[in-house]
Amino acid sequence: MSRRTAADQAVAHHGWAQAGAAVLAGLAAMVVVAALGLWAAGATDLPDSAFPRIVLATVASAVGGTVRLSGNAGALARTEAGLTVVPLSVTLTGALVLAAGFLRPLRHRAVTGVRELAGWAARIAVLWLVALIALALTARQTFAVDVDNDTLAEIGQLLDAVPRVGFTTDVPLTVLFGLLWLAGVLVLALLVSRGAPLPGRLLRFQESVRPAAYAMVVLLLVSVALTGVIALVVAVTHGHLARTLALILLGLPNLAWPALTVGMGATWHGRVEGPFGLPVPHLLDEVLRTPDVSTVNLHTLTERDASAWWLLVAAAVLVPSAAFLMAARSPARVPVWRHALHLAVALVPAVLMICLVGRVSAHYGLSLLGISDLGGGLSGELFLRPEWWSALGLAALWGLVAGLLGGLLARPVHRRGEVGARPGPGQG
């Protein structure tokens, strides 16, 4: 074996080891956050030692996996259940850790080749594929559901109609969406990081794309951090610490990002019926728990509590701040109107992402001898979905206005690489 071949093999082994470390760190972080969040939510009390598999199912759903609920209640009864929700705190944790692991070997380099970059991403994708398959095959469980109504419980035992629910993870869909999620994380990491190298053909796009992408990521992260601080303050002053920790560790972005769109004027529709409860401020739960489908926007929230106007104030501060950050990281030669265009083009996909991942849908019910709605807290429905086109239109408008403002405010800011004064005669 030649020295060159041995060196190439050593480099390849080192690359696989780095890819394995990145994937393992991402999965471990997601498992820890999901486990702590579910523990705070009381999931450790589930029967049949279901907690570890619930954790794995939560991680699978966090990366876009499909977890299907199923149920039965003997020959004379049946259960129906469905759940569509992404635990975005777990998703965000995994994305940040995986992105850091992906970018770490690429730091301190100006340019990279397409083949080298694709090879590094492919190593991570192969190991991620193996992890997804193992996750999907393991995340499945069936257990009995306790019935609060004593009479119904006795009838269920007599008729062999004790309700049981379970969940399984769809392997093909989990692998497909999990790989798409990984691809999105890696591409976004390259777009956001100023120090990450790009292939030579793509360098001309970095001045227009990277500052806007970075600004959007900062906007989303700051909104999550601000919501988390508010949640902790409320928990300390009003109690419900365990419930607040569960919200922070499982679904803080599920609350923060839709709230940002509401502050920008967007409208969501939803309803809460039956035993379901949302780990959200009492105001939102009150608006949603009505006989008909409820409208959630600044108008309906401020009708019940005038302090909801702070959502508008937060949006009016955060979005222009993101615009200023984008303009400050852009070359000084970029005109103000182009800053407005760049921010609008970036803010619309960000709001679209919020509308896609922020939707919630859940239902559960038990029917006995064809009779549904048996009482005893055995049926319910919960959903929350956005008005798509109005949200995207408002995002474009906010992007244009805030981009103009941010571009104007950033004019006096000294950019990296700028020359402060023109050289005088005889000066090089």
Side-chain angles (χ1 to χ4, degrees), residues 107-298:
R107 67 193 189 282
H108 307 314
R109 300 178 53 184
V111 182
T112 186
V114 175
R115 180 177 298 179
E116 180 185 4
L117 192 60
W120 172 232
R123 290 188 185 97
I124 293 181
V126 169
L127 296 176
W128 185 249
L129 172 63
V130 175
L132 285 174
I133 294 174
L135 196 66
L137 291 175
T138 308
R140 51 192 64 207
Q141 181 83 13
T142 300
F143 48 87
V145 177
D146 291 332
V147 180
D148 294 333
N149 189 302
D150 294 337
T151 303
L152 288 175
E154 294 177 2
I155 294 175
Q157 293 177 357
L158 289 174
L159 299 178
D160 190 23
V162 177
R164 298 184 64 85
V165 296
F167 60 90
T168 58
T169 305
D170 190 304
V171 177
L173 288 179
T174 298
V175 168
L176 173 61
F177 290 114
L179 289 176
L180 290 176
W181 177 85
L182 176 67
V185 169
L186 300 187
V187 170
L188 187 59
L190 285 176
L191 292 179
V192 169
S193 175
R194 176 183 283 178
L198 290 176
R201 296 178 181 178
L202 300 179
L203 288 177
R204 65 182 183 272
F205 297 110
Q206 66 178 350
E207 291 184 352
S208 60
V209 175
R210 274 186 165 171
Y214 179 81
M216 289 302 96
V217 170
V218 171
L219 172 65
L220 295 176
L221 291 179
V222 169
S223 65
V224 170
L226 182 61
T227 306
V229 171
I230 295 172
L232 286 176
V233 171
V234 172
V236 170
T237 56
H238 294 82
H240 307 293
L241 183 60
R243 179 181 176 182
T244 303
L245 287 177
L247 168 65
I248 292 175
L249 293 168
L250 293 176
L252 188 59
N254 298 75
L255 178 61
W257 293 343
L260 177 64
T261 66
V262 171
M264 295 166 57
T267 296
W268 293 64
H269 298 285
R271 186 186 181 195
V272 177
E273 176 192 23
F276 290 114
L278 287 172
V280 297
H282 177 71
L283 172 62
L284 181 57
D285 187 73
E286 193 177 65
V287 171
L288 291 175
R289 199 173 291 277
T290 57
D292 301 319
V293 176
S294 302
T295 298
V296 180
N297 54 29
L298 279 174

Side-chain angles (χ1 to χ4, degrees), residues 73 76-80 161 365-374 378:
L76 301 178
R78 62 189 180 91
T79 58
E80 296 179 352
L366 170 66
S367 63
L368 183 63
L369 298 175
I371 303 173
S372 59
D373 191 19
L374 296 175
L378 297 178

Side-chain angles (χ1 to χ4, degrees), residues 27 30 55 86 103 128 130 166 210 241 255 278 285-286 311 363 378 385 397 403 406 413:
L27 280 175
M30 296 175 80
V55 171
V86 180
L103 294 175
W128 185 249
V130 175
R210 274 186 165 171
L241 183 60
L255 178 61
L278 287 172
D285 187 73
E286 193 177 65
L311 294 176
H363 69 272
L378 297 178
R385 53 176 178 257
L397 181 61
V413 177

